[in-house]
Amino acid sequence: MSEANTDLEKVVVHSPGLIEEWREIFLLEESLRLQVHILLFKAKIPALWAVILGGTGTGKSTIFNALCGKPLSETGIERPKTSGPILYAHTRFDLATEIPFTGIETAAIPASHENPKPTPGLSGRLLVLEHDREDLSHILLADTPDLDSVEKVNRQVAEDLYHLSDAVIFVASQEKYADEVPHLFLRRILEDQRLCYLILNKAEESSTKEDVLSTLQGARGSLSHDHVWLFPFMPNQPSQALVHHPMFRDFQALFLKELSKAQMPSLRNKALSRRKRTVQEKLERLLGLTGKERGAAQAWVQDLRRMEQESAENFLREQREAFSLKGRDALKREIRRLFSKYDVLAGPRRIVRETLLAPLRLVGILEKQDEGKRKEELRKVRQKMDLLPIQAAVEKFNRRVLEKLSPQDKDSPLFKALREQGAALTAEEIRDLVWKAQDQLEDWLEKRFDILSRNLPRTKRWGIHTTSILWGILIVSFEIAVGGGFTLIDAVVDSVLAPFVTKGTVELFAYHEIQKVTRELGERYQKEMLSVMEAQRERHERRLQTLLMPEEAREALEELGRQAAQASEE
């Protein structure tokens, strides 16, 4: 079991809930895990499991004692008498460490223990009563708690032991055989094609096998006439009296014949083959559903990325329109007015700087710059940054994700994951992302200024060729970008500088270099803004990935399938 347990530990099934059958994935995983445990366990135990099942007060323990030939399980008129499962097993089986159900502990009473008193069993524990009888050395006979017990643990134990069964002795009574819970369980036994013996205990004289079989009409699977037994009511010491009853002797003879040592290989091989098929079918279904959901997840990611692209385009368009609405016509008029007054020889530094700054002040993008250290000027620009547009864009993106990409089922894991705390970027997280990118942008801008200033013609140190004017142009460009004009920055700056080129006050080299810097500045700033949207999209993708079954889990499931296919008697 250790090898199988190791592989099962790797199987952590997840599901984001993108397909309609997502709930079935978890049910299949639980069922498959159990079925593999049972299959590997039964393949190692060369025995046939005969499990006695039934409702409250039907006389299960009476039948158990009669088959064992001893009063091992406590009986009586009080209900229920069996508090926990009791297993009559040969001493050659070590079941304490092998039982495949984690919720059941085992306790054993050795065969050497003389004349044990009848026991009601131990709730939640499997009590193994050992024997050294050769005639039952290949049969593990189990008395179980009631199928309709008020205690959940007892119902679960009965369910667990049913999973181990090769044959079922189903005990009903005259007043209980049509009760819903036991009746539905009996139908399930027949549908599972278990070898079944149906005993109607404490039957009235007028009762017939046909009456009992008529209640099972319509059930998938069938129960033959010779596997139905009617035992009369025996008021005094029923276990002892039943042993001598001809009808019980006939039942016992058929039971021991059909579960004989000679029949055991055939019965076990059929049972193991049936369980192998069950495991394989469940495994294929589980892998099929998880594969379907992985495909749905890939489509979901594609839709998410398309939505991110659309949201980014909308954001850029809104920024372009907003910048235009701030006064593009007024900006043009101011530029023309200033250019008409421009005198190349009258204070070129002042005119160039004022020409750059005035139209931008007109639309509220920047205030007049104080000369000082470059770092301080860059920091001042940052403080004027308006983060509300990108915050609004991310919020709008998240709203679309919830409207268009969220599963409709409110119980699905992805529905909850998209709405839990931390799913959406906060305003503080957006600010930190932007400022981190801003640090890199500022460093880049300073480096480009250093390169440009070193390459200014040494013969001309006035006008735009002065380092202060050059830095002023870059600062103005930076403020245009921060002010929301990053999509138009090259056009705005070029519209200011172009007249100076035509007047010959600037060399083409400086002009083109400034063009390239401002264009790249706009592209970098745009990328910086859109990286926030990208970070939000990646966060959604990561949440989806954590809900998908890892590839190693799929590999572990496939290995379990191979182990199940190879399971055999050892």
Side-chain angles (χ1 to χ4, degrees):
M1 290 295 292
S2 60
E3 183 180 357
N5 278 329
T6 299
D7 289 323
L8 281 170
E9 288 302 320
K10 298 177 184 176
V11 182
V12 181
V13 171
H14 298 284
S15 170
L18 287 171
I19 61 175
E20 291 183 4
E21 309 95 326
W22 70 270
R23 284 184 173 85
E24 187 182 349
I25 291 175
F26 294 101
L27 296 175
L28 278 169
E29 182 270 338
E30 182 180 359
S31 176
L32 179 64
R33 188 185 297 269
L34 175 63
Q35 292 296 333
V36 169
H37 270 310
I38 292 172
L39 174 61
L40 298 178
F41 167 68
K42 286 181 64 65
K44 291 182 178 181
I45 305 296
L48 295 172
W49 286 75
V51 178
I52 302 175
L53 295 168
T56 305
T58 56
K60 298 185 298 300
S61 296
T62 298
I63 304 300
F64 176 79
N65 290 339
L67 285 171
C68 295
K70 295 180 180 181
L72 300 176
S73 185
E74 189 173 324
T75 62
I77 59 174
E78 301 89 354
R79 302 176 183 180
K81 296 303 295 186
T82 304
S83 300
I86 302 171
L87 187 67
Y88 195 52
H90 197 274
T91 55
R92 68 192 182 98
F93 298 119
D94 179 15
L95 298 171
T97 58
E98 293 286 350
I99 202 75
F101 307 111
T102 56
I104 300 180
E105 297 181 0
T106 58
I109 297 179
S112 59
H113 196 289
E114 295 183 359
N115 301 320
K117 293 182 179 181
T119 176
L122 304 170
S123 180
R125 302 184 71 182
L126 177 63
L127 180 62
V128 181
L129 303 179
E130 297 181 348
H131 67 81
D132 53 12
R133 292 172 53 178
E134 188 59 29
D135 60 332
L136 294 178
S137 63
H138 63 292
I139 297 177
L140 298 170
L141 184 62
D143 186 17
T144 65
D146 304 325
L147 290 173
D148 51 359
S149 172
V150 295
E151 298 292 336
K152 181 179 179 181
V153 64
N154 288 339
R155 298 196 304 272
Q156 186 60 53
V157 166
E159 172 82 19
D160 289 342
L161 288 175
Y162 168 69
H163 284 302
L164 292 176
S165 67
D166 298 297
V168 174
I169 302 171
F170 194 90
V171 184
S173 61
Q174 189 69 43
E175 72 276 14
K176 295 281 291 185
Y177 80 92
D179 282 6
E180 182 179 16
V181 173
H183 183 71
L184 290 176
F185 206 101
L186 176 57
R187 284 176 170 263
R188 174 183 166 190
I189 294 169
L190 299 180
E191 291 170 2
D192 291 345
Q193 299 181 344
R194 292 284 202 281
L195 178 59
C196 182
Y197 304 89
L198 175 57
I199 294 176
L200 182 63
N201 203 21
K202 298 177 280 188
E204 297 176 355
E205 292 184 4
S206 59
S207 299
T208 66
K209 292 185 179 183
E210 287 73 17
D211 293 336
V212 175
L213 289 172
S214 66
T215 65
L216 299 174
Q217 288 181 355
R220 290 184 298 171
S222 61
L223 188 65
S224 62
H225 192 272
D226 60 350
H227 279 70
V228 179
W229 304 86
L230 278 66
F231 296 164
F233 176 66
M234 298 179 184
N236 299 318
Q237 298 181 324
S239 294
Q240 297 179 25
L242 190 61
V243 170
H244 304 289
H245 196 281
M247 194 169 293
F248 174 79
R249 286 182 176 275
D250 289 343
F251 157 70
Q252 186 179 37
L254 179 65
F255 173 76
L256 293 177
K257 177 183 176 181
E258 292 186 340
L259 272 69
S260 66
K261 286 184 179 180
Q263 294 296 324
M264 186 174 73
S266 175
L267 289 174
R268 291 195 74 238
N269 287 337
K270 287 181 181 178
L272 288 174
S273 296
R274 185 169 60 246
R275 291 178 184 277
K276 288 177 187 178
R277 283 197 306 273
T278 299
V279 166
Q280 198 61 39
E281 288 170 0
K282 289 180 180 293
L283 178 60
E284 290 176 359
R285 177 64 174 168
L286 177 57
L287 291 175
L289 288 179
T290 55
K292 180 180 178 181
E293 191 153 56
R294 186 168 290 275
Q298 292 173 349
W300 190 90
V301 168
Q302 291 176 355
D303 290 340
L304 179 69
R305 294 183 177 182
R306 183 163 51 250
M307 191 172 291
E308 178 208 359
Q309 181 63 32
E310 292 171 356
S311 298
E313 291 172 356
N314 290 337
F315 169 69
L316 295 178
R317 183 177 62 254
E318 290 170 0
Q319 288 297 100
R320 192 177 298 114
E321 291 173 353
F323 186 80
S324 177
L325 291 173
K326 286 179 180 177
R328 174 176 287 184
D329 292 339
L331 176 61
K332 290 181 179 179
R333 287 195 300 271
E334 181 67 10
I335 290 174
R336 285 197 298 268
R337 185 182 67 79
L338 291 171
F339 285 169
S340 66
K341 295 181 178 180
Y342 179 66
D343 180 356
V344 172
L345 299 180
R349 179 181 299 182
R350 178 183 59 79
I351 296 298
V352 170
R353 185 166 179 78
E354 289 301 313
T355 302
L356 287 168
L357 299 182
L360 297 171
R361 283 195 209 97
L362 181 66
V363 293
I365 294 176
L366 56 85
E367 296 176 359
K368 186 173 182 178
Q369 298 291 310
D370 295 326
E371 294 184 2
K373 294 180 179 180
R374 296 199 297 268
K375 284 284 186 185
E376 293 176 358
E377 291 177 322
L378 289 171
R379 296 300 178 188
K380 288 180 180 179
V381 174
R382 175 184 297 195
Q383 298 304 319
K384 299 175 183 178
M385 187 183 305
D386 185 6
L387 296 177
L388 289 179
I390 187 60
Q391 290 171 352
V394 171
E395 182 180 351
K396 190 181 298 183
F397 171 57
N398 284 328
R399 191 160 55 248
R400 287 193 65 199
V401 169
L402 294 180
E403 292 173 354
K404 304 295 185 181
L405 297 183
S406 173
Q408 296 299 310
D409 190 339
K410 294 182 179 180
D411 292 328
S412 69
L414 185 58
F415 182 95
K416 296 176 180 178
L418 291 174
R419 290 164 174 81
E420 66 186 8
Q421 187 176 6
L425 291 172
T426 64
E428 292 76 16
E429 287 175 321
I430 292 174
R431 179 201 61 201
D432 292 342
L433 286 171
V434 172
W435 284 9
K436 182 179 179 180
Q438 197 81 345
D439 288 336
Q440 299 174 348
L441 189 60
E442 291 170 3
D443 291 341
W444 171 84
L445 191 61
E446 283 196 280
K447 290 176 182 176
R448 290 309 306 263
F449 167 73
D450 290 337
I451 294 172
L452 282 177
S453 62
R454 285 198 301 269
N455 291 327
L456 286 178
R458 296 185 178 278
T459 56
K460 296 183 179 180
R461 289 294 183 182
W462 52 273
I464 205 168
H465 289 283
T466 65
T467 55
S468 61
I469 291 298
L470 178 60
W471 179 246
I473 293 173
L474 298 183
I475 284 291
V476 167
S477 302
F478 194 39
E479 291 210 39
I480 294 172
V482 169
F486 53 87
T487 61
L488 301 169
I489 184 172
D490 54 337
V492 172
V493 173
D494 185 57
S495 67
V496 175
L497 293 180
F500 295 97
V501 177
T502 59
K503 292 177 180 293
T505 59
V506 110
E507 293 187 19
L508 287 176
F509 167 78
Y511 174 66
H512 290 313
E513 287 300 309
I514 291 172
Q515 275 186 318
K516 289 196 309 185
V517 172
T518 54
R519 186 176 300 112
E520 186 174 355
L521 174 63
E523 291 171 354
R524 283 175 175 265
Y525 193 85
Q526 176 174 307
K527 185 177 180 181
E528 175 183 311
M529 290 292 102
L530 298 184
S531 68
V532 178
M533 197 85 68
E534 182 180 4
Q536 180 63 80
R537 186 260 303 164
E538 289 176 347
R539 181 173 291 189
H540 289 323
E541 285 191 24
R542 285 194 299 272
R543 288 185 174 250
L544 175 64
Q545 289 300 322
T546 60
L547 297 174
L548 289 170
M549 189 166 73
E551 189 59 33
E552 56 268 25
R554 289 180 62 85
E555 294 172 358
L557 281 175
E558 291 169 353
E559 176 58 27
L560 283 176
R562 288 189 286 270
Q563 289 184 28
Q566 296 168 3
S568 61
E569 295 183 36
E570 296 181 358

